[in-house]
Amino acid sequence: MGLVGAEVAKHNSADSCWVIVHGKAYDVTEFLPEHPGGSKIILKYAGKDATEEFDPIHPPDTLDKYLPESKHKGPVDMSTVEVEEKIASPDEEERLERVKNKPSLSQCYNLMDFEAVAKGVMKKTAWGYYSSASDDEITLRENRSAYQRLWFRPRILVDVTNISLNTKMLSTLTSMPFYVTATALGKLGHPEGEVVLTRAANMHGVIQMIPTLASCSFGEIVDAATDKQTQWFQLYVNKDREVTKKIVQHAEKRGCKALFITVDAPQLGRREKDMRSKFGGEGSSVQKDDDGVDRSQGAARAISSFIDPGLSWKDLPWFRSITSMPILLKGVQCVEDVVRAAKDPNVDGLVLSNHGGRQLDFAPSAIELLAEVMPVLKAQGLERKLEIFVDGGVRRGTDILKAMCLGAKGVGIGRPFLYAMSGYGQDGVERAMQLLRDELEMGMRLLGCATIEELGPHLLDTRSLGQHGNGIPRDTLMEEVYDGLTVPGWGKS
Ligand SMILES: Cc1cc2c(cc1C)[n+](S(=O)(=O)[O-])c1c(=O)[nH]c(=O)nc-1n2C[C@H](O)[C@H](O)[C@H](O)COP(=O)(O)O
């Protein structure tokens, strides 16, 4: 039977605050001032069922893990809990209409089509979190346009009957030269969260990087994998190194094959779309919490107050001492740090990345940095010291081929798989992976390469890469006639 709803409902203030999550009541009164997202968001659900708001942001075992047993008030008879009548706003009504008449999966022909659909069907807060980047989002767009300043030098009369996309990343054989990179809060896009990406990655022989800030628990994501699947672990380093040590050693024990330490986020970036959508516009009172701390940084700030801004090169020997996994730095953004990492005995590789433009605006694109870095490493005889990956703005098979030609060992892809999942679940992510496979095979064949090993800098013209002002040739005629994905009633998406 358990507690009745009316009993829980009595505890509906800062003096006594109980919430219901997954049918159990928890006394969070003392926790209110410590909640990274501020106390206001919890008080909104004081005495009520908070499950729907709780799920996308917190792994299911959060309360059992972090709230003392004495605060667990036990099961609630949910039939006695008053369910608030939710009146959908006009925006929400329109969104639900779009969900109903969204394009069929077979109408999505490229990764950008998934973005168009996600924009139409996702809740505002979820779209705001996934799509946002920092400040004016210049780096977000530069990540894309940098690839469009690289041109191929295709070869002809090469026997390309059989194409192989197999390659090795950190000595793991993988079926395609890309991986699912770490992106937080998977349940903002799909109720099952990151395990959807796990299952799709398994179906296509693709590696998955598990995020520290997943909505699913780490255990759920690892349990969802098969034993033939490779998973890496992405780490945000906690100020409390004991917590970090436990997490890293648990990840290794559960079979993760590499540790990617995120180094570009001593503080999560200022993403205005996330901030705006999270708190309902400028000046809403919710932006100021009881403790007067400005929580108007959206979900990003709310989930990342534990990250240690003090992390530095001197910590790397400690990481080497706590794990035997290969250690890679994710979010390296200049050639000097690449050379320093190459000379550091504690570093096995790195991801050239600007966090999808979500951190420092005007950070360079990974692909332009890769073109600068490889010759420098070669000149110093360091090119074999590190495995170098890139991510950010990869939306086409040709982008992946360009990165491999410049010497990347593989390419991380973030938003496209989130959008595909948000629009179509596992089927969407699998279609996205299949589309990339088709584009990669086509690209290799037309480039005149049958295997990944044959890709090299000789196949690229990088002369425009550094000229940021020249943009892509505007083909006005083409723009006039090009038919993008349009959905009846959505206008031009
Ligand atoms: C889109 C996205 C990216 C995030 C991400 C969440 C989202 C929604 N989050 S974040 O909440 O902290 O910003 C993470 C994260 O947990 N850890 C991390 O290392 N990178 C994070 N990234 C960056 C990600 O790993 C890639 O660097 C980035 O997504 C590559 O760019 P594309 O999205 O264009 O592929």
Side-chain angles (χ1 to χ4, degrees):
M1 281 293 277
L3 286 162
V4 290
E7 174 52 32
V8 179
K10 280 186 217 147
H11 303 273
N12 61 358
S13 72
D15 307 329
S16 174
C17 178
W18 293 13
V19 291
I20 301 171
V21 175
H22 293 302
K24 284 189 204 160
Y26 297 90
D27 177 355
V28 290
T29 313
E30 287 164 28
F31 173 66
L32 285 172
E34 295 159 40
H35 182 237
S39 55
K40 233 175 186 93
I41 189 70
I42 300 182
L43 286 169
K44 227 173 101 183
Y45 293 90
K48 298 176 196 160
D49 185 356
T51 308
E52 198 182 326
E53 178 75 20
F54 175 89
D55 262 356
I57 308 266
H58 312 80
D61 55 1
T62 305
L63 290 167
D64 295 335
K65 251 173 144 172
Y66 299 111
L67 202 68
E69 191 58 35
S70 60
K71 306 296 178 192
H72 297 208
K73 295 301 172 190
V76 178
D77 174 356
M78 293 309 285
S79 64
T80 65
V81 174
E82 233 178 271
V83 181
E84 270 176 13
E85 236 273 72
K86 282 213 166 68
I87 324 267
S89 66
D91 277 358
E92 183 57 7
E93 297 277 358
E94 275 176 37
R95 183 185 75 83
L96 292 172
E97 217 20 59
R98 290 195 296 267
V99 170
K100 257 192 344 225
N101 66 35
K102 75 183 175 199
S104 67
L105 181 53
S106 58
Q107 283 177 277
C108 293
Y109 284 93
N110 60 56
L111 298 192
M112 293 312 289
D113 285 345
F114 289 109
E115 183 156 350
V117 172
K119 185 175 179 186
V121 302
M122 291 182 79
K123 287 188 179 160
K124 205 162 142 247
T125 44
W127 169 254
Y129 191 70
Y130 285 179
S131 63
S132 61
S134 51
D135 295 1
D136 301 312
E137 304 192 338
I138 305 288
T139 290
L140 173 76
R141 291 191 294 278
E142 168 59 7
N143 282 348
R144 199 67 219 108
S145 60
Y147 277 102
Q148 293 161 346
R149 297 198 302 269
L150 275 166
W151 298 83
F152 285 118
R153 306 173 70 247
R155 297 308 171 78
I156 53 156
L157 296 180
V158 175
D159 176 1
V160 286
T161 315
N162 302 310
I163 298 288
S164 164
L165 297 177
N166 291 334
T167 188
K168 264 201 175 168
M169 295 184 200
L170 296 173
S171 56
T172 300
L173 190 60
T174 175
S175 72
M176 289 190 271
F178 64 83
Y179 58 88
V180 181
T181 191
T183 51
L185 304 187
K187 286 187 181 175
L188 280 178
H190 187 281
E192 285 188 273
E194 289 81 3
V195 296
V196 173
L197 301 172
T198 310
R199 292 196 295 258
N202 176 53
M203 296 306 286
H204 291 260
V206 164
I207 294 172
Q208 176 192 19
M209 190 189 293
I210 300 174
T212 299
L213 290 175
S215 304
C216 292
S217 69
F218 174 78
E220 284 175 316
I221 300 171
V222 176
D223 292 344
T226 62
D227 47 14
K228 63 176 182 12
Q229 209 172 332
T230 296
Q231 292 175 311
W232 296 332
F233 184 62
Q234 171 272 323
L235 177 75
Y236 273 133
V237 178
N238 194 308
K239 294 175 189 122
D240 178 343
R241 286 293 190 274
E242 273 315 302
V243 170
T244 288
K245 181 175 176 184
K246 239 172 86 196
I247 290 174
V248 169
Q249 294 186 333
H250 182 62
E252 180 166 11
K253 202 159 129 258
R254 288 300 320 263
C256 285
K257 293 286 179 295
L259 174 67
F260 285 72
I261 303 173
T262 296
V263 294
D264 60 8
Q267 175 181 355
L268 282 200
R270 211 174 161 283
R271 304 145 189 187
E272 289 169 7
K273 247 192 266 182
D274 171 37
M275 294 156 66
R276 222 187 292 286
S277 66
K278 192 79 202 145
F279 287 88
E282 291 306 306
S284 69
S285 59
V286 153
Q287 287 182 4
K288 286 273 175 278
D289 217 349
D290 311 353
D291 54 12
V293 172
D294 173 3
R295 308 267 178 204
S296 65
Q297 304 290 323
R301 193 59 44 76
I303 60 173
S304 60
S305 51
F306 69 89
I307 295 173
D308 182 1
L311 179 68
S312 73
W313 291 97
K314 69 176 179 3
D315 292 308
L316 294 182
W318 178 77
F319 281 99
R320 181 56 86 201
S321 73
I322 65 166
T323 178
S324 55
M325 290 189 280
I327 294 175
L328 293 95
L329 307 181
K330 175 177 183 291
V332 180
Q333 304 168 73
C334 74
V335 66
E336 295 81 350
D337 281 345
V338 171
V339 172
R340 180 164 182 175
K343 292 177 179 166
D344 189 312
N346 304 297
V347 180
D348 300 297
L350 45 86
V351 185
L352 303 179
S353 171
N354 50 52
H355 216 101
R358 297 162 69 82
Q359 289 302 104
L360 180 64
D361 209 8
F362 287 94
S365 69
I367 195 71
E368 184 169 0
L369 183 58
L370 180 66
E372 179 192 358
V373 151
M374 294 316 273
V376 169
L377 289 179
K378 230 179 222 104
Q380 298 188 31
L382 294 168
E383 74 277 21
R384 296 202 185 296
K385 174 60 186 59
L386 296 172
E387 291 212 9
I388 296 189
F389 300 89
V390 296
D391 74 21
V394 173
R395 299 294 181 269
R396 285 282 184 192
T398 48
D399 298 334
I400 299 172
L401 296 179
K402 292 172 183 174
M404 303 304 283
C405 285
L406 286 175
K409 291 294 284 179
V411 170
I413 298 179
R415 292 182 182 87
F417 294 139
L418 289 176
Y419 294 145
M421 174 179 75
S422 304
Y424 302 95
Q426 182 177 336
D427 290 347
V429 182
E430 289 204 51
R431 179 157 170 90
M433 290 178 176
Q434 185 55 48
L435 289 171
L436 279 175
R437 171 179 287 283
D438 300 344
E439 288 185 11
L440 280 164
E441 281 177 2
M442 173 69 81
M444 293 271 286
R445 196 157 269 131
L446 301 184
L447 198 49
C449 294
T451 65
I452 296 290
E453 290 69 31
E454 292 165 38
L455 296 171
H458 60 287
L459 294 166
L460 281 186
D461 173 357
T462 60
R463 284 172 300 169
S464 319
L465 187 53
Q467 288 146 38
H468 290 217
N470 70 350
I472 321 162
R474 272 180 61 80
D475 179 342
T476 44
L477 251 191
M478 167 84 170
E479 278 172 13
E480 269 317 300
V481 298
Y482 179 70
D483 295 329
L485 173 73
T486 50
V487 183
W490 281 15
K492 198 150 173 33
S493 58

